[in-house]
Amino acid sequence: MLAARLICALSALVCLLVGLWSLLDPAGVAGMIGYVFAGPAGQVEFVTVYGGFYTGVGAFLALATLREDWLIAALAMSTLGAGGAFVARLAGTLAIGTAPGLTLDLLISEAVWAGLSAVGWYLASRRG
């Protein structure tokens, strides 16, 4: 169970860091991934998803490390969310192409995140 909690905590940390960084420096984070804001609406949308949503998910994952009854659901969500991001990024990369560097790094990090979360999900599910 400790390994599952550590994996969940690591996922929480990743989400909280991305979320808070996006809230504090949206233009900087957006620029790193190739976004340019055409106006305030685009920046608000970016802050909402990358800042607000990621921070909320990170908070849920952090709380789930402390609540055994939430742990399996949190790790399932982390697995499916990171796995979905990996599949979407891979499909987009294959269909559209990519610039070298960050896209490949993000693809690998999403695969690792989904894989680790799946291991945590499995370990937490075996406890009974």
Side-chain angles (χ1 to χ4, degrees), residues 37-67:
F37 300 130
Q43 186 166 349
V44 168
E45 195 62 27
F46 182 88
V47 167
T48 300
V49 174
Y50 285 92
F53 186 77
Y54 265 82
T55 301
V57 168
F60 169 66
L61 292 168
L63 288 172
T65 64
L66 306 173
R67 294 194 48 142

Side-chain angles (χ1 to χ4, degrees), residues 80-99:
L80 297 173
F86 169 79
V87 169
R89 190 177 308 278
L90 180 61
T93 299
L94 293 174
I96 300 168
T98 182

Side-chain angles (χ1 to χ4, degrees), residues 9-75:
L10 181 61
S11 293
L13 182 64
V14 168
C15 287
L16 287 168
L17 287 175
V18 168
L20 293 173
W21 190 10
S22 297
L23 287 171
L24 297 172
D25 183 20
V29 175
M32 285 178 36
I33 56 176
Y35 284 10
V36 177
F37 300 130
Q43 186 166 349
V44 168
E45 195 62 27
F46 182 88
V47 167
T48 300
V49 174
Y50 285 92
F53 186 77
Y54 265 82
T55 301
V57 168
F60 169 66
L61 292 168
L63 288 172
T65 64
L66 306 173
R67 294 194 48 142
E68 191 171 327
D69 56 329
W70 291 9
L71 189 59
I72 293 172
L75 288 163

